Amino acid sequence: MFFRNAGTVFSGRRGPESFSSIARFAFIAGFVTLAATGFLLTQYHPDKVRNVAAKLPHLNLNPDSEHQQAIAEYERLVFNVSDNELHPIDRLIAASRQAHDALVAKQSFDVATAAAKYRERRGRHPPPGFDKWMEYATSHDAIVVEDFFDRIYHDINPFWGLEPNQLAGRAQSWHHVVRVRDGKATGVGDITGRVPWLKLWTDLVSEAAPYLPDVDMPINYMDESRLLVKWEEITALVEKGEKAREMVEPEKALRKYRGLSFIDNAKNANETKPYDPDWIHNNSPQYWDLSRAACAPGSPSRDVPALKDFSRSPSIPFDWHPAYSSEGYVKNFTGSADSCTQPHLRSLHGTFIEPLSISTSTELIPLFSGCKLTTNNDIIIPGAMYLTSDPFYSGGNGHGPQWSQKKTGIIWRGVASGGRNKKENWSHFQRHRLLEMLNGTTVTALEHDGARAMTFDMAPLQMYDYKRRRNMSIGDFLTEFADAGFTDLLCFPAGECDYITPHFKALPSKPMAEQYVNKFIPDADGNSFSARFRGLLLSTSLPLKATIYAEWHDDRLAPWQHFAPLDNTFQDLHAVLDYFTSTAKGDAAARMLASVGKRWGEKVLRRDDMLLYTWRLLLEFARVCDENRLKLGYTDDLIPVAAEGSA
Ligand SMILES: *[C@@H]1O[C@H](CO)[C@@H](O)[C@H](O)[C@H]1NC(C)=O
Ligand SMILES: *[C@@H]1O[C@H](CO)[C@@H](O)[C@H](O)[C@H]1NC(C)=O
Ligand SMILES: *[C@@H]1O[C@H](CO)[C@@H](O)[C@H](O)[C@H]1NC(C)=O
Ligand SMILES: *[C@@H]1O[C@H](CO)[C@@H](O)[C@H](O)[C@H]1NC(C)=O
Ligand SMILES: *[C@@H]1O[C@H](CO)[C@@H](O)[C@H](O)[C@H]1NC(C)=O
Ligand SMILES: CC(=O)N[C@H]1CO[C@H](CO)[C@@H](O)[C@@H]1O
């Protein structure tokens, strides 16, 4: 039973005891790489700590560094509480730090190491041109960890099961293409009256173009991702590709891509007309049904059909312990985005209720998109909005004041998107839910008068047990703390807002830069990904994030390290906010995460990092579109004397 009935009691969880010694260990191990706070530890577990500290490299603690102080302050506080005062989130922070440090320790600094790690993880030689890619990466201080690029292989692998010339032809003839020929990139396609994405992506690819083979990047010009191929079909394609995969002898590897003149010169009209598969334009809620067909058989959502009637209140599955969570808090953020394991999302996210537009194919074609559902088969590139300097998304050059200058508050502004919200279905939309949960008036009424909110129930006390929840003061707290509202209610039909005005009022918008005065900023999906996440990470505020969309950067960001993750139900929202605001330790944790996230973002979310991601992706895509693809490979590192005529 997934869904909570009125009165269902939450069925208890494992106590936290079993975690604490591991958590402590994790913290101590984590310090080795922290390079900042060794001396503080000595005040606490003297013996253990001295052992660790003895192994620490010489540390240069700069007492003026806001970043180092942010870390030191949290550690001081977390080490001064007894095990049973540790919050589950403290344990998650410790575990996340340890996992992330271990990941970053796998960094490659030279092409031979990077190529070896590539072969180990991918089972092929890297594509030709890998050396130039690595050269650019190292000369631009990029952090190269093979795992950071997993997404590329997840996305590209099914295409190894398709025929290369057909792939190349379909890519070349698509409606909107970033085309690379002879080391130059151009945008092809009619963009009259459209957003400037083609130019943004073309400008990015231009920077890599001198080092790229001829390649076509067919791009999706809709907000929504487009391809939902049945799980069985994708699996068969991936298996076909894997069966053919080989690690050719280094001397026999081909270094030169075939090139695309064979298509460019073809006079055949069939090859220049865009190939459009059957597009499904049927409106909701069949989208859920298309999506679940892309889930593995046996996964919880696969056999749960779309809801037909959204007139009933949304029900949140409280009595439920997903594998991606620990003690009620998201631990595995990738897992939390997966709709295949969460059948209740069929009625808790606008994408599955009434998306603005649907144009979906169940046939696999090459198509590049800025984001996708975990079930989609589009190939992800960095969202075009991340490439603009538009302060609407990025907040511009200001990233907000220091933590101590900030207001202890949470702010959110945005439009009531997520899909087409209507009288019959709006209470199921994620942004509406987020705002009602942050509305002090609504929550106070819920706590004191038993008035039902339209979009949510209070999460059970048994699951999230804290003082404010017990004394029913979450509403009062939010009244002071939260400033969250829609800037446009986007009523449907337009102008007929009676159904929504008792619950929401439109507020004036606020530039991102002004929002950064607050400590906390939640980020929720709109019609697709929110496009503000990068700006939020780079700010001095702490982003709180839930999403069902995958993005290019997912493998390089860690929840509870760079941002605070939320469940897509938001059932954990109040408890997470309580953790951050009820003790000095919580505030220090928020300050630390905001600072660590910003620092990390400045290292791995730069334009150069988006360039390197796209560059590597295009090398892979050019290879999979090449009829010699099984033999193409970078192997110079394995051949003692470089052979002549490298491409
Ligand atoms: C640790 O906690 C105790 C008791 O609450 C307090 O007296 C002491 O000052 C704290 N130490 C530090 C370093 O914060
Ligand atoms: C296009 O393809 C169809 C079917 O493969 C073929 O019958 C037709 O002659 C082709 N047209 C041209 C202009 O080559
Ligand atoms: C996180 O979840 C994803 C998707 O469900 C899964 O593939 C991955 O193995 C999980 N990661 C960990 C560390 O459990
Ligand atoms: C409830 O508890 C919170 C946290 O301790 C406290 O700040 C608040 O004043 C309390 N409110 C009431 C009504 O008791
Ligand atoms: C908060 O909720 C109340 C009703 O509970 C509503 O009147 C008000 O407009 C809401 N505030 C915002 C900013 O939407
Ligand atoms: C998925 C779903 O049931 N959506 C409904 C939202 O509300 C409109 C009525 O305004 C219905 O037509 C949709 O079917």
Side-chain angles (χ1 to χ4, degrees), residues 99 323-324 331-338 341 374:
Y324 63 72
K331 178 178 182 149
N332 179 341
F333 194 62
T334 321
S336 78
D338 186 357
T341 61
T374 51

XYZ file of all heavy atoms in Angstrom, residues 99 323-324 331-338 341 374, ligand 3:
108
model
N 31.784 10.133 0.873
C 31.616 9.595 -0.479
C 32.161 10.576 -1.520
O 32.828 10.178 -2.480
C 30.138 9.322 -0.744
N 14.271 3.564 -0.906
C 15.686 3.223 -0.785
C 16.566 4.465 -0.918
O 17.700 4.472 -0.451
C 16.054 2.194 -1.849
N 16.060 5.505 -1.550
C 16.890 6.700 -1.735
C 16.911 7.597 -0.497
O 17.552 8.642 -0.503
C 16.445 7.480 -2.980
C 15.044 8.046 -2.939
C 14.730 9.126 -2.124
C 14.027 7.493 -3.710
C 13.444 9.635 -2.076
C 12.735 7.990 -3.671
C 12.453 9.074 -2.845
O 11.185 9.569 -2.797
N 18.792 10.755 0.609
C 20.208 10.444 0.683
C 20.794 10.346 -0.729
O 21.864 10.844 -1.013
C 20.362 9.105 1.406
C 21.768 8.629 1.518
C 21.839 7.325 2.282
C 23.298 6.951 2.395
N 23.617 6.225 3.574
N 20.059 9.659 -1.607
C 20.513 9.469 -2.986
C 19.643 10.348 -3.883
O 18.511 10.012 -4.202
C 20.359 7.984 -3.337
C 20.777 7.671 -4.757
O 20.866 8.556 -5.611
N 21.026 6.406 -5.034
N 20.196 11.482 -4.298
C 19.393 12.472 -5.020
C 18.968 11.953 -6.400
O 17.857 12.199 -6.850
C 20.177 13.776 -5.146
C 19.333 14.941 -5.574
C 18.279 15.388 -4.794
C 19.599 15.601 -6.766
C 17.491 16.474 -5.190
C 18.822 16.691 -7.163
C 17.771 17.122 -6.376
N 19.873 11.235 -7.061
C 19.525 10.637 -8.355
C 18.329 9.715 -8.187
O 17.404 9.707 -8.992
C 20.696 9.779 -8.880
O 21.905 10.447 -8.568
C 20.587 9.542 -10.354
N 18.375 8.920 -7.133
C 17.274 8.002 -6.862
C 15.977 8.752 -6.612
O 14.905 8.327 -7.053
N 16.076 9.890 -5.943
C 14.856 10.631 -5.588
C 14.182 11.232 -6.818
O 13.021 11.598 -6.772
C 15.174 11.723 -4.563
O 15.759 12.842 -5.192
N 14.921 11.360 -7.911
C 14.355 11.943 -9.132
C 13.664 10.890 -10.001
O 13.038 11.230 -11.005
C 15.460 12.623 -9.939
N 13.784 9.642 -9.610
C 13.341 8.555 -10.479
C 11.844 8.271 -10.309
O 11.421 7.739 -9.282
C 14.167 7.305 -10.130
C 13.887 6.155 -11.058
O 13.020 6.295 -11.946
O 14.531 5.097 -10.886
N 10.267 4.569 -9.428
C 10.142 3.983 -8.089
C 9.072 4.695 -7.264
O 8.872 4.353 -6.106
C 11.478 4.064 -7.316
O 11.818 5.456 -7.172
C 12.591 3.350 -8.045
N 14.150 10.906 -15.930
C 15.064 9.761 -15.909
C 14.603 8.686 -16.899
O 15.397 7.858 -17.311
C 15.180 9.162 -14.499
O 13.856 8.935 -14.013
C 15.877 10.115 -13.558
C 21.157 5.970 -6.401
O 20.002 5.713 -7.135
C 20.242 5.354 -8.466
C 18.925 5.311 -9.202
O 17.968 4.589 -8.510
C 21.000 4.040 -8.511
O 21.258 3.664 -9.830
C 22.294 4.230 -7.754
O 22.980 3.005 -7.692
C 22.047 4.736 -6.359
N 23.320 5.098 -5.750
C 23.690 4.630 -4.589
C 25.015 5.097 -4.090
O 22.993 3.871 -3.940
